[in-house]
Amino acid sequence: MSLLVSPMKPRPSFQAAVPAAGVLAGGVAGGFSGAAGAPSVSRLDRLKAAPRKPGEASFFYYDAHFKSEAVKVLPGEYFVHEEDLLIMTTLGSCIAACLWDRNARVGGMNHFMLPEAAGSQDGGRYGSFAMELLINELMKKGATRATLEAKVFGGGQVISGMNTLNVGQRNTDFVMEYLKTERIPVVSKDVLEIYPRKVCFLPASGKAMVK
Protein backbone atom coordinates (compact mmCIF):
# COMPACT_ATOMS: atom_id res chain seq x y z
CA MET A 1 0.00 0.00 0.00
CA SER A 2 1.47 3.34 -1.03
CA LEU A 3 0.89 6.10 1.48
CA LEU A 4 2.56 8.99 -0.27
CA VAL A 5 1.75 9.05 -3.93
CA SER A 6 -1.36 7.00 -4.61
CA PRO A 7 -4.70 8.83 -4.85
CA MET A 8 -7.34 8.03 -2.26
CA LYS A 9 -9.22 4.91 -3.36
CA PRO A 10 -12.03 2.86 -1.83
CA ARG A 11 -10.73 -0.34 -0.23
CA PRO A 12 -12.43 -3.46 -1.67
CA SER A 13 -14.56 -3.87 1.47
CA PHE A 14 -15.86 -0.31 1.28
CA GLN A 15 -18.77 1.03 -0.70
CA ALA A 16 -18.20 2.84 -3.95
CA ALA A 17 -16.86 6.26 -4.66
CA VAL A 18 -17.91 9.82 -4.05
CA PRO A 19 -20.97 11.19 -5.89
CA ALA A 20 -20.50 13.65 -8.72
CA ALA A 21 -19.23 17.02 -7.61
CA GLY A 22 -22.47 18.83 -8.36
CA VAL A 23 -24.46 16.47 -6.17
CA LEU A 24 -21.88 16.37 -3.41
CA ALA A 25 -21.59 20.11 -3.23
CA GLY A 26 -25.32 20.59 -3.29
CA GLY A 27 -25.09 22.45 -6.57
CA VAL A 28 -23.69 25.53 -4.82
CA ALA A 29 -20.68 27.11 -6.42
CA GLY A 30 -20.82 30.66 -5.15
CA GLY A 31 -21.02 33.61 -7.53
CA PHE A 32 -23.99 35.95 -7.98
CA SER A 33 -27.68 35.19 -7.76
CA GLY A 34 -30.90 36.56 -6.36
CA ALA A 35 -32.25 40.09 -6.50
CA ALA A 36 -30.06 42.74 -8.06
CA GLY A 37 -27.16 40.32 -8.42
CA ALA A 38 -26.64 39.88 -4.68
CA PRO A 39 -23.82 37.43 -3.91
CA SER A 40 -25.03 33.93 -3.01
CA VAL A 41 -23.97 32.34 0.27
CA SER A 42 -22.15 29.06 -0.29
CA ARG A 43 -22.63 25.99 1.87
CA LEU A 44 -19.03 26.41 3.04
CA ASP A 45 -19.83 29.92 4.30
CA ARG A 46 -22.91 28.61 6.10
CA LEU A 47 -20.93 25.81 7.74
CA LYS A 48 -18.24 28.21 8.93
CA ALA A 49 -20.82 30.64 10.32
CA ALA A 50 -22.90 28.08 12.22
CA PRO A 51 -22.42 27.89 16.02
CA ARG A 52 -20.49 24.84 17.21
CA LYS A 53 -20.76 22.73 20.36
CA PRO A 54 -17.74 21.93 22.54
CA GLY A 55 -15.70 19.20 20.86
CA GLU A 56 -17.44 19.59 17.51
CA ALA A 57 -15.08 19.89 14.54
CA SER A 58 -14.92 23.39 13.10
CA PHE A 59 -12.10 23.35 10.51
CA PHE A 60 -14.04 23.69 7.25
CA TYR A 61 -12.39 24.00 3.85
CA TYR A 62 -12.84 23.24 0.16
CA ASP A 63 -11.23 19.97 -0.95
CA ALA A 64 -9.88 20.46 -4.45
CA HIS A 65 -9.38 16.72 -5.11
CA PHE A 66 -13.02 15.83 -4.47
CA LYS A 67 -14.35 19.28 -5.46
CA SER A 68 -16.44 19.47 -2.33
CA GLU A 69 -16.77 21.16 1.03
CA ALA A 70 -14.99 19.27 3.80
CA VAL A 71 -14.45 19.33 7.56
CA LYS A 72 -11.35 18.00 9.31
CA VAL A 73 -11.89 16.13 12.57
CA LEU A 74 -8.92 16.67 14.89
CA PRO A 75 -8.02 14.42 17.86
CA GLY A 76 -10.71 14.68 20.51
CA GLU A 77 -13.33 16.03 18.09
CA TYR A 78 -16.41 14.65 16.36
CA PHE A 79 -18.74 15.74 13.57
CA VAL A 80 -22.29 14.67 12.67
CA HIS A 81 -24.17 15.72 9.54
CA GLU A 82 -27.05 14.71 7.30
CA GLU A 83 -25.60 15.92 3.98
CA ASP A 84 -22.72 14.44 2.00
CA LEU A 85 -19.93 16.84 2.70
CA LEU A 86 -16.56 15.18 3.32
CA ILE A 87 -15.63 14.36 6.91
CA MET A 88 -11.86 13.85 6.94
CA THR A 89 -9.26 12.84 9.51
CA THR A 90 -5.70 11.52 9.70
CA LEU A 91 -4.84 8.64 12.04
CA GLY A 92 -1.85 6.93 13.58
CA SER A 93 -2.57 4.88 16.70
CA CYS A 94 -5.83 6.80 17.19
CA ILE A 95 -9.21 5.42 16.17
CA ALA A 96 -11.93 6.99 14.05
CA ALA A 97 -15.36 5.37 14.32
CA CYS A 98 -17.73 6.27 11.49
CA LEU A 99 -21.35 5.58 12.45
CA TRP A 100 -24.26 5.72 10.01
CA ASP A 101 -28.00 5.24 10.40
CA ARG A 102 -29.28 3.46 7.30
CA ASN A 103 -32.87 4.67 7.85
CA ALA A 104 -32.34 8.27 8.94
CA ARG A 105 -29.37 8.60 6.53
CA VAL A 106 -27.31 10.60 8.98
CA GLY A 107 -23.75 9.85 9.97
CA GLY A 108 -20.77 11.05 11.93
CA MET A 109 -17.15 10.46 12.84
CA ASN A 110 -15.11 10.78 16.01
CA HIS A 111 -11.34 10.66 16.62
CA PHE A 112 -10.08 9.42 19.96
CA MET A 113 -6.56 8.88 21.26
CA LEU A 114 -6.88 6.48 24.20
CA PRO A 115 -9.50 3.95 25.31
CA GLU A 116 -10.41 5.40 28.69
CA ALA A 117 -9.49 8.38 30.83
CA ALA A 118 -7.36 8.08 33.95
CA GLY A 119 -9.04 9.29 37.12
CA SER A 120 -11.59 12.06 36.68
CA GLN A 121 -10.39 13.16 33.24
CA ASP A 122 -12.93 13.06 30.47
CA GLY A 123 -13.49 14.35 26.96
CA GLY A 124 -13.44 13.37 23.33
CA ARG A 125 -9.80 12.26 23.46
CA TYR A 126 -10.96 9.11 25.24
CA GLY A 127 -12.94 6.35 23.56
CA SER A 128 -15.51 5.79 26.29
CA PHE A 129 -16.59 9.44 26.13
CA ALA A 130 -16.09 9.87 22.37
CA MET A 131 -18.35 6.95 21.46
CA GLU A 132 -21.22 8.03 23.70
CA LEU A 133 -20.93 11.60 22.47
CA LEU A 134 -21.07 10.53 18.82
CA ILE A 135 -24.06 8.24 19.36
CA ASN A 136 -25.96 10.89 21.35
CA GLU A 137 -25.40 13.53 18.67
CA LEU A 138 -26.60 11.13 15.97
CA MET A 139 -29.75 10.37 17.96
CA LYS A 140 -30.47 14.10 18.23
CA LYS A 141 -30.62 14.11 14.42
CA GLY A 142 -33.03 11.19 14.21
CA ALA A 143 -30.77 8.12 14.38
CA THR A 144 -31.56 5.12 16.58
CA ARG A 145 -29.10 2.65 18.08
CA ALA A 146 -30.95 -0.27 16.47
CA THR A 147 -30.28 0.98 12.93
CA LEU A 148 -26.68 2.19 13.35
CA GLU A 149 -23.75 0.52 11.62
CA ALA A 150 -20.04 1.21 12.00
CA LYS A 151 -16.86 1.49 9.97
CA VAL A 152 -13.68 1.57 12.05
CA PHE A 153 -10.24 2.89 11.11
CA GLY A 154 -6.83 3.41 12.71
CA GLY A 155 -5.02 1.73 15.56
CA GLY A 156 -1.74 1.59 13.66
CA GLN A 157 1.63 1.06 15.27
CA VAL A 158 3.24 3.94 13.42
CA ILE A 159 6.20 4.54 15.79
CA SER A 160 8.76 1.74 15.96
CA GLY A 161 9.79 0.60 19.41
CA MET A 162 6.43 1.38 21.03
CA ASN A 163 5.39 -2.27 21.39
CA THR A 164 5.17 -2.15 25.16
CA LEU A 165 2.51 0.59 25.16
CA ASN A 166 0.64 -0.92 22.22
CA VAL A 167 -1.79 2.01 22.08
CA GLY A 168 -3.15 1.11 18.65
CA GLN A 169 -4.03 -2.42 19.76
CA ARG A 170 -5.66 -1.17 22.95
CA ASN A 171 -7.70 1.40 21.04
CA THR A 172 -8.80 -1.21 18.50
CA ASP A 173 -9.75 -3.73 21.18
CA PHE A 174 -11.74 -1.08 23.02
CA VAL A 175 -13.80 0.13 20.07
CA MET A 176 -14.58 -3.36 18.80
CA GLU A 177 -15.72 -4.50 22.25
CA TYR A 178 -17.72 -1.30 22.74
CA LEU A 179 -19.58 -1.75 19.45
CA LYS A 180 -20.21 -5.41 20.22
CA THR A 181 -21.69 -4.49 23.61
CA GLU A 182 -23.89 -1.82 22.02
CA ARG A 183 -24.93 -4.29 19.27
CA ILE A 184 -23.80 -1.95 16.52
CA PRO A 185 -22.54 -4.07 13.60
CA VAL A 186 -19.11 -3.31 12.14
CA VAL A 187 -19.63 -3.53 8.37
CA SER A 188 -16.00 -2.76 7.49
CA LYS A 189 -12.73 -1.92 9.20
CA ASP A 190 -9.13 -1.07 8.40
CA VAL A 191 -7.13 -1.27 11.62
CA LEU A 192 -3.75 -2.15 13.19
CA GLU A 193 -0.64 -2.81 11.03
CA ILE A 194 2.09 -0.14 10.84
CA TYR A 195 0.51 2.47 8.57
CA PRO A 196 -0.86 5.96 9.17
CA ARG A 197 -4.21 6.49 7.47
CA LYS A 198 -6.22 9.27 5.90
CA VAL A 199 -9.97 8.63 6.15
CA CYS A 200 -12.84 10.23 4.25
CA PHE A 201 -16.47 9.63 5.29
CA LEU A 202 -19.71 10.74 3.61
CA PRO A 203 -22.33 10.98 6.37
CA ALA A 204 -25.54 10.90 4.31
CA SER A 205 -24.62 7.86 2.20
CA GLY A 206 -22.41 6.07 4.73
CA LYS A 207 -19.58 5.65 2.23
CA ALA A 208 -15.96 5.68 3.41
CA MET A 209 -12.54 5.73 1.81
CA VAL A 210 -9.07 5.30 3.26
CA LYS A 211 -5.48 5.47 2.10
Side-chain angles (χ1 to χ4, degrees), residues 86-190:
L86 297 168
I87 305 180
M88 312 282 288
T89 200
T90 304
L91 302 165
S93 61
C94 297
I95 287 285
C98 301
L99 301 185
W100 182 63
D101 187 297
R102 57 184 176 271
N103 291 343
R105 303 193 71 80
V106 60
M109 175 196 288
N110 61 20
H111 180 156
F112 66 85
M113 303 171 68
L114 294 169
E116 294 182 349
S120 60
Q121 293 178 332
D122 216 338
R125 293 177 299 171
Y126 304 101
S128 53
F129 184 90
M131 294 305 297
E132 282 300 314
L133 179 60
L134 179 58
I135 291 171
N136 289 339
E137 292 300 320
L138 283 164
M139 292 175 70
K140 290 176 184 178
K141 289 187 176 289
T144 61
R145 287 178 185 256
T147 51
L148 287 174
E149 58 186 52
K151 296 181 179 181
V152 179
F153 307 96
Q157 185 182 320
V158 296
I159 302 176
S160 60
M162 298 291 284
N163 296 356
T164 53
L165 295 177
N166 214 358
V167 176
Q169 182 72 60
R170 289 166 52 207
N171 282 338
T172 302
D173 291 345
F174 166 81
V175 73
M176 298 304 293
E177 184 61 30
Y178 181 97
L179 293 166
K180 180 180 177 181
T181 300
E182 294 295 325
R183 298 182 180 179
I184 298 173
V186 178
V187 297
S188 64
K189 62 181 179 178
D190 187 48

Side-chain angles (χ1 to χ4, degrees), residues 18-26 28 43-44 47 60-71 83-88 200-203:
V18 181
V23 176
L24 187 58
V28 177
R43 184 167 67 155
L44 184 59
L47 288 165
F60 296 96
Y61 64 100
Y62 183 80
D63 188 283
H65 178 77
F66 289 105
K67 298 180 173 61
S68 172
E69 300 91 339
V71 59
E83 298 177 12
D84 266 345
L85 80 161
L86 297 168
I87 305 180
M88 312 282 288
C200 166
F201 181 61
L202 297 166

